[in-house]
Amino acid sequence: MKQFENKVALVTGGSTGIGRATAIEFAKQGAKVVVADIVDSSETIAAIKAAGGEAIYVKTDVSKSADVKALVEKTVATYGSLDYAFNNAGVEMGGKLTADVDEAEFDKVISINLKGVWLGLKYQIPQMLKQGKGVIVNTSSTAGITGVPSLSAYTASKHGIIGLTQVAAIDYGKSGIRINAVIPGPIKTPMLEGTMGNSKSAKDKIESALVMGRLGEPQELANAVIFLCSDGASYVNGTALAVDGGWLAK
């Protein structure tokens, strides 16, 4: 029997990258999966079904309360429960000195990256309380641990996710709900590729700075999320697990 047989997993930001890899892995482990994103996720759904899994897509803007509330309601209405949630949706920002960032850009990054995680918790936790258990994993970043030059809003949002994760874990740890975060290092995703462009020199520069000399794969993050949701992590709560190839060790 697969470890998540008859369980239900919700993944935001599931159209590409880490979200897609994790949604597919949840399905491989037996879970029914709800994939949420503001953009079409048909490729993710197709990959899940091709692997013999079951999934639906729900268009969701994680910065909007009504959307996130409706997402959780749709999940429960379709599959009957919510056992695991991976709050992964996020956006990057252009590199600008702190005082040069437009207020609208700052608000957008905070609204999606940080408020979006909080809204996920706000609507996922009550359902898990009804069930008496559940696991939530939030996506932070190495920028949630250290400052990144010219990425003030992004860095602030990712720091905030770790603090939010810790407080929520304290608030609900005695209620059977575990809440943790993952800290991706440089991962081979469309977001990072968009930052690097088609520049081989930019990729080479990043890889040369990495302890392991290579970018991480989305599947490596998916494996970490699956572990945190598994019974093998039953005493792991309120932590931020770095999956960064040693980036933060330097």
Side-chain angles (χ1 to χ4, degrees):
M1 183 176 178
K2 297 176 181 177
Q3 65 174 331
F4 296 152
E5 200 79 47
N6 300 318
K7 300 294 185 180
V8 180
L10 166 61
V11 177
T12 70
S15 65
T16 61
I18 294 167
R20 175 184 291 178
T22 305
I24 293 170
E25 190 59 35
F26 267 124
K28 288 181 178 178
Q29 297 295 330
K32 297 172 183 176
V33 184
V34 176
V35 179
D37 209 311
I38 199 166
V39 298
D40 179 68
S41 298
S42 57
E43 290 186 15
T44 302
I45 300 298
I48 288 172
K49 292 182 177 179
E54 185 175 347
I56 61 168
Y57 163 63
V58 180
K59 185 174 182 178
T60 307
D61 180 343
V62 298
S63 69
K64 294 181 178 178
S65 180
D67 276 25
V68 181
K69 182 175 185 289
L71 169 63
V72 173
E73 290 174 347
K74 178 67 172 179
T75 299
V76 177
T78 302
Y79 293 128
S81 66
L82 174 59
D83 301 290
Y84 313 110
F86 181 35
N87 294 312
N88 170 70
V91 293
E92 57 186 342
M93 65 175 291
K96 296 178 183 177
L97 296 176
T98 300
D100 294 334
V101 177
D102 295 332
E103 185 176 356
E105 182 178 17
F106 187 92
D107 287 347
K108 176 184 177 182
V109 172
I110 295 297
S111 184
I112 295 172
N113 289 6
L114 181 55
K115 183 184 175 184
V117 170
W118 172 72
L119 285 172
L121 295 171
K122 179 175 176 61
Y123 293 110
Q124 293 153 7
I125 288 170
Q127 176 60 33
M128 292 179 175
L129 287 172
K130 290 178 185 177
Q131 299 167 187
K133 62 180 178 179
V135 184
I136 300 172
V137 179
N138 303 319
T139 298
S140 181
S141 165
T142 50
I145 300 294
T146 62
V148 181
S150 300
L151 291 181
S152 56
Y154 184 82
T155 298
S157 72
K158 294 301 184 177
H159 271 70
I161 287 169
I162 292 177
L164 190 59
T165 297
Q166 291 171 332
V167 173
I170 295 167
D171 286 345
Y172 300 100
K174 292 181 180 178
S175 301
I177 302 172
R178 293 190 297 105
I179 304 170
N180 294 292
V182 286
I183 302 176
I187 307 296
K188 197 182 298 180
T189 64
M191 183 181 288
L192 182 60
E193 289 169 357
T195 301
M196 294 188 301
N198 295 319
S199 172
K200 185 177 184 301
S201 62
K203 181 174 182 290
D204 289 344
K205 183 178 180 180
I206 290 175
E207 290 188 332
S208 67
L210 295 172
V211 173
M212 295 179 68
R214 66 171 177 85
L215 297 174
E217 297 289 341
Q219 183 62 44
E220 293 175 303
L221 260 295
N223 293 342
V225 175
I226 294 299
F227 165 69
L228 288 172
C229 290
S230 73
D231 290 342
S234 58
Y235 203 54
V236 181
N237 196 24
T239 196
L241 175 62
V243 188
D244 65 348
W247 177 272
L248 291 173
K250 293 181 68 176

